[in-house]
Amino acid sequence: MTAVLQARGLGKRYGRHWALSDCTLDIPAGHVVGLVGPNGAGKTTLLNLASGHLTPTTGEITVLGGRPGTDPNQLRKVGFVAQDTPTYAGFTVAEHLRLGARLNPGWDDATARDRIARLGLDPGQRAGTLSGGQRAQLALTIGIAKRPELLILDEPVAALDPLARREFMQGLLEAAVEHELSVVLSSHLVSDLERACDYLVVLVDSRVQVAGEVEELLATHHRLAGPRRDPDQLPRDQRVVSASHTDRQSTFIVRTDSAIHDPVWTVSQLSLEDLVLTYLDSSTRVAPRPVLEVQR
Amino acid sequence: MIEFHLDERSGLSPYLQLVRQVRQAMRLGLLREGDQLPTVKDVVARLAINPNTVLKAYRELEHEGLVAARPGVGTFVSATLTDGSLAAHGPLRQELRRWLAKARRAGLDEESIEALFLTTFRTSAGEEIA
Amino acid sequence: MIWLTWRQFRIPAITLFALVVAFAVLLAMTGPGIAAEYADGIAACAQQGTDCGPFVNNFLNDYQTASLGVSAVALVMPALIGLFWGAPLVSRELEVGTHRLVWNQSITRTRWLVVKMTITGLAAVVVGAVGAVAVTWWASTIDNVPDNEFNRLASWVFDGRGVVPIGYSAFAFALGVTVGMLLRRALPAMAVTLAVFVVVQFAMPLLVRPYLLPPTDATVEITESTVDTFGHNMQNGRSTVLVEGQAPEEGAWLLSARTVDSSGNPVEAITLPESSTACTPGQSATPEPGAGMKTCLAELTRLGYRHELTYHPASRFWPFQWIETGIYLALSLALAGFCFWWLRHRLA
């Protein structure tokens, strides 16, 4: 399988501010990838780099083996639903489909029309009068009917109410199955992505904190609670992600491939949300020990 | 055909919940041999979950020999879990009801009944394994 | 992409085209009447053998305002193009974020802008051309009236005739697109486009156009026919005379007119020597009106005073038209080139 997205030392700077720095990623195809992080962490920057809207300041990025956004062929392979799902307010729903048909050689008109009909959208209605959820669905329809290999979505559900969120995700995932799409979508809420994603990238302060298959992440992260200890005393194959201490007790979140045998620890599993929060919380986060990275 | 649902608070991963729901339905006779399971697309569209989660659940069921995938058609139930035990459900339920009534008369509230049942269930399950 | 451009552009396009067509129809309906009136008037006075001057004066009185009004419309049209076609073209997309929808279809940004700018830009040129042809044709009678102080090289008139409106339209459009791309918001872009365009349109005839071709210099005698205005003043018993020359040929564009003395030094006002009384009123008791001025001017000539004139002859109308149109088209292309550069390097 080829990688849908590969980044090496990718960075983007605006003036003096680095919106994304030293980002190295290798996301395999066939996944629904969740990109999580707080607002301003660099999610939009990364996605805009992947779609070719931005050009990197440092490093390089390839999407489906090609440089993003450079030629029509690359544009054809990658769909992008931008934040706030922009549409032409004065255009009708049908005109948006026509736009898609005119600008995309691989346009799948049957799929587009079918989706619009199933959503109960009136083709004659102007996009400006649609609800947020309907507009998002319209943008998604254009993204799907373009028939890309990879569909990128930037905070697609952030502005939607819970029902619209649900319906949007249903439509997105259904299309992912039907057209064998790889999907990358961002959110600042883990709960939006928990069920939908099987690959997770956590981005904080313009840096990638952790990336990997959800199942593997859940299987390799453990919470250890026990008598107070220094993180350095833990076995070297246990990478300490976070540590918090009281007078007598220490709680560690560690990442390790091997089983934890030390009987002093009460070991428990983390939910995906806890796992992500661990990486988001800078107060307890422990900087990675560089030597340990080698063994993985 | 059955319909899946997910419980966020169950603590079980979505994939395990799907596997259990199929087994449950087979035990209760809701799914019989030859019945088709919902397609991956249908499950994904209904629950808004990751397609690989459904595929994994179906693979697990296939591995257990409970279902068989027919390429291009769908996934079908290929075994039966009810055996003769379904017939015994009625009488057992009757007995359980009588036991519950007895427990209430003895002054146990809902929580105590549940705790008593679960501890007993676990101990006896543990003994059997041992 | 052509469909999309048209779909987005159709309302402003139809609106402005309708205005231009309505304007052209209005001119087409009134033009022949004006031409006929002038021809009839000239024919009548020629037949009667009388001076045509009063008729021409009346004619100019009647139509000069209308003519200047039509010229004003011709000047405003390019501004409207810049304002309503140019400025919103890209800025509106950037403002509401729809560029992020269209850039994600299978079409490169460069092609997107090429199609948008070509179609709208060509429409701008067509509107400019239609307006220019209509105005030039309509005003041809008035423009060719002899002694019309608003001749074809006069700022307001020149700008609305010939081919320059095409250059103005293209430039205003390209300017609007560029400003829109830089400001990324439609309303401010429209305001800035208008401001910059107005400044350029004022600067062009004042600061640039006179120097596009080397002006002609001429030194002419001070006579009744070469003097435009004449002033006289008595101070301490001495005459001070002020004369201003006029262009030595019909329809020329006078840039400067100075009076110089016998040694070639420019003088503001001519102070006659005490001995000379040629210009003192009441001294020459001739009954003929204007004879006093005649004597005075002759005296000035005798003393060696001359007009020194700098002007562009009327025959330069078309050279000026072509040069200026060329400049504006070149500016438009430069702005368009900048837009593409900006699109690739700064909007990314």
Side-chain angles (χ1 to χ4, degrees):
Chain A
M1 278 241 183
T2 54
V4 293
L5 193 155
Q6 256 182 326
R8 296 274 169 274
L10 185 68
K12 177 72 185 175
R13 191 183 57 198
Y14 293 104
R16 285 182 165 183
H17 169 70
W18 284 91
L20 187 73
S21 38
D22 197 24
C23 169
T24 296
L25 275 175
D26 205 335
I27 301 177
H31 284 289
V32 177
V33 181
L35 179 58
V36 205
N39 289 325
K43 302 190 296 291
T44 297
T45 304
L46 177 57
L47 297 185
N48 279 330
L49 286 165
S51 64
H53 277 212
L54 295 175
T55 45
T57 311
T58 60
E60 58 183 63
I61 180 168
T62 53
V63 173
L64 298 168
R67 252 187 61 207
T70 41
D71 61 304
N73 199 37
Q74 176 75 14
L75 285 165
R76 198 178 307 169
K77 289 195 289 183
V78 182
F80 184 78
V81 176
Q83 203 163 6
D84 304 325
T85 57
T87 51
Y88 288 101
F91 283 30
T92 62
V93 171
E95 280 171 330
H96 276 91
L97 299 192
R98 193 159 174 204
L99 177 155
R102 292 277 176 153
L103 299 185
N104 298 291
W107 184 255
D108 182 349
D109 205 46
T111 296
R113 282 179 199 290
D114 178 54
R115 257 187 69 80
I116 294 300
R118 274 194 295 149
L119 291 165
L121 292 180
D122 170 11
Q125 196 178 348
R126 285 183 191 279
T129 62
L130 294 174
S131 71
Q134 290 172 321
R135 226 181 41 236
Q137 290 282 14
L138 174 59
L140 177 62
T141 303
I142 299 172
I144 291 170
K146 182 184 172 185
R147 297 298 297 275
E149 291 172 37
L150 167 68
L151 187 59
I152 301 174
L153 305 99
D154 189 6
E155 295 267 5
V157 296
L160 305 185
D161 61 65
L163 182 63
R165 253 168 218 238
R166 179 44 120 50
E167 287 170 351
F168 187 92
M169 293 308 289
Q170 287 172 329
L172 172 63
L173 292 163
E174 189 182 354
V177 177
E178 198 172 350
H179 303 305
E180 294 175 342
L181 278 175
S182 294
V183 175
V184 175
L185 76 159
S186 68
S187 175
H188 57 278
L189 295 175
V190 193
S191 54
D192 285 341
L193 306 175
E194 198 160 9
R195 280 182 180 186
C197 298
D198 54 356
Y199 197 101
L200 202 70
V201 178
V202 179
L203 202 60
V204 184
D205 295 336
S206 85
R207 282 170 190 281
V208 174
Q209 300 297 333
V210 66
E213 285 190 35
V214 170
E215 214 169 283
E216 198 234 307
L217 292 177
L218 288 175
T220 54
H221 284 76
H222 308 275
R223 182 189 282 113
L224 311 183
R228 182 161 180 147
R229 275 209 195 161
D230 195 74
D232 292 339
Q233 290 174 293
L234 291 174
R236 295 191 66 81
D237 66 346
Q238 292 176 11
R239 140 118 156 77
V240 180
V241 179
S242 88
S244 67
H245 308 276
T246 63
D247 303 350
R248 294 181 187 169
Q249 201 191 28
S250 286
T251 308
F252 296 112
I253 308 276
V254 298
R255 181 175 182 172
T256 178
D257 286 333
S258 39
I260 292 158
H261 298 297
D262 194 338
V264 304
W265 300 115
T266 311
V267 181
S268 54
Q269 299 304 308
L270 281 95
S271 70
L272 191 65
E273 182 139 22
D274 286 341
L275 193 152
V276 171
L277 287 174
T278 303
Y279 282 98
L280 296 194
D281 186 357
S282 57
S283 66
T284 55
R285 204 164 63 217
V286 175
R289 286 176 282 182
V291 274
L292 293 184
E293 285 298 289
V294 181
Q295 71 203 3
R296 270 204 51 79
Chain B
M1 190 77 80
I2 59 163
E3 217 169 57
F4 291 109
H5 51 88
L6 289 181
D7 182 359
E8 304 270 347
R9 281 172 295 272
S10 71
L12 287 174
S13 71
Y15 122 83
L16 262 183
Q17 290 191 47
L18 296 184
V19 170
R20 285 201 180 186
Q21 278 169 40
V22 171
R23 284 205 291 244
Q24 189 102 357
M26 288 173 72
R27 276 200 195 92
L28 295 177
L30 294 174
L31 278 178
R32 292 171 217 277
E33 205 170 335
D35 282 354
Q36 190 181 358
L37 292 183
T39 63
V40 175
K41 188 183 147 193
D42 286 343
V43 180
V44 164
R46 204 184 119 63
L47 298 179
I49 61 169
N50 190 283
N52 291 332
T53 308
V54 186
L55 285 170
K56 191 179 171 198
Y58 281 16
R59 270 204 304 273
E60 166 89 21
L61 289 164
E62 217 179 322
H63 186 70
E64 290 176 15
L66 299 180
V67 303
R70 284 184 226 159
V73 189
T75 307
F76 293 85
V77 178
S78 60
T80 173
L81 279 181
T82 50
D83 307 323
S85 72
L86 194 60
H89 278 204
L92 282 169
R93 182 173 289 132
Q94 278 294 332
E95 254 175 79
L96 202 52
R97 279 211 181 116
R98 276 199 290 277
W99 181 84
L100 282 172
K102 226 188 265 175
R104 281 201 194 94
R105 277 199 301 278
L108 277 73
D109 60 10
E110 302 283 315
E111 224 169 276
S112 317
I113 293 173
E114 204 181 310
L116 180 60
F117 176 81
L118 278 178
T119 45
T120 318
F121 177 76
R122 277 190 196 137
T123 348
S124 70
E127 278 163 5
E128 269 167 39
I129 290 165
Chain C
M1 190 59 220
I2 293 170
W3 172 81
L4 175 63
T5 305
W6 167 242
R7 173 61 187 82
Q8 287 181 280
F9 178 51
R10 67 185 186 191
I11 291 170
I14 289 170
T15 312
L16 206 51
F17 260 111
L19 281 176
V20 169
V21 167
F23 179 60
V25 166
L26 187 74
L27 295 184
M29 278 165 29
T30 54
I34 296 170
E37 188 185 330
Y38 184 72
D40 290 351
I42 294 293
C45 67
Q47 207 172 14
Q48 289 160 20
T50 53
D51 180 18
C52 284
F55 165 74
V56 169
N57 266 342
N58 276 338
F59 181 80
L60 286 179
N61 272 345
D62 287 352
Y63 292 112
Q64 201 124 61
T65 319
S67 165
L68 292 179
V70 165
S71 297
V73 173
L75 290 178
V76 164
M77 226 139 54
L80 291 180
I81 289 172
L83 221 55
F84 293 104
W85 289 7
L89 190 79
V90 174
S91 65
R92 185 144 290 157
E93 302 247 12
L94 296 176
E95 187 169 10
V96 296
T98 44
H99 64 293
R100 290 179 295 152
L101 174 67
V102 70
W103 289 358
N104 289 305
Q105 310 310 313
S106 315
I107 173 169
T108 61
R109 269 183 257 178
T110 310
R111 188 165 146 62
W112 169 79
L113 190 61
V114 165
V115 176
K116 257 171 116 71
M117 278 191 87
T118 309
I119 291 180
T120 320
L122 283 179
V125 166
V126 168
V127 164
V130 168
V133 167
V135 170
T136 308
W137 171 80
W138 181 87
S140 58
T141 310
I142 301 163
D143 286 345
N144 289 321
V145 170
D147 288 336
N148 183 355
E149 59 176 311
F150 294 100
N151 64 54
R152 292 201 303 167
L153 279 176
S155 305
W156 262 42
V157 180
F158 180 88
D159 298 352
R161 308 286 190 274
V163 290
V164 284
I166 297 172
Y168 297 162
S169 300
F171 170 72
F173 170 72
L175 177 70
V177 176
T178 310
V179 171
M181 203 170 257
L182 295 177
L183 295 184
R184 296 168 149 253
R185 292 201 358 250
L187 268 179
M190 289 165 86
V192 171
T193 300
L194 182 63
V196 173
F197 185 67
V198 165
V199 167
V200 170
Q201 289 303 76
F202 268 103
M204 190 69 198
L206 290 177
L207 305 174
V208 182
R209 196 184 298 151
Y211 310 107
L212 291 180
L213 287 171
T216 305
D217 292 314
T219 309
V220 295
E221 256 181 41
I222 302 178
T223 65
E224 244 183 320
S225 61
T226 63
V227 168
D228 187 40
T229 51
F230 174 85
H232 178 261
N233 204 3
M234 282 299 283
Q235 226 167 13
N236 309 326
R238 294 172 71 171
S239 284
T240 308
V241 181
L242 218 133
V243 287
E244 213 170 279
Q246 65 179 8
E249 58 173 286
E250 184 60 41
W253 180 20
L254 188 66
L255 299 181
S256 80
R258 298 187 302 181
T259 310
V260 293
D261 61 19
S262 51
S263 47
N265 297 319
V267 288
E268 279 294 310
I270 304 162
T271 307
L272 293 177
E274 230 165 315
S275 58
S276 173
T277 55
C279 292
T280 317
Q283 285 298 313
S284 55
T286 7
E288 205 184 323
M293 187 172 116
K294 210 174 198 170
T295 324
C296 179
L297 295 181
E299 174 69 4
L300 295 183
T301 306
R302 193 186 67 76
L303 290 168
Y305 291 101
R306 299 279 187 280
H307 285 306
E308 210 177 74
L309 305 171
T310 309
Y311 69 100
H312 287 294
S315 59
R316 289 191 177 170
F317 176 76
W318 282 109
F320 271 126
Q321 285 275 335
W322 291 117
I323 292 171
E324 194 161 321
T325 306
I327 290 173
Y328 273 87
L329 289 180
L331 280 175
S332 312
L333 287 178
L335 286 174
F338 172 79
C339 284
F340 283 99
W341 181 84
W342 191 262
L343 180 76
R344 291 173 137 221
H345 293 97
R346 283 288 174 271
L347 282 183

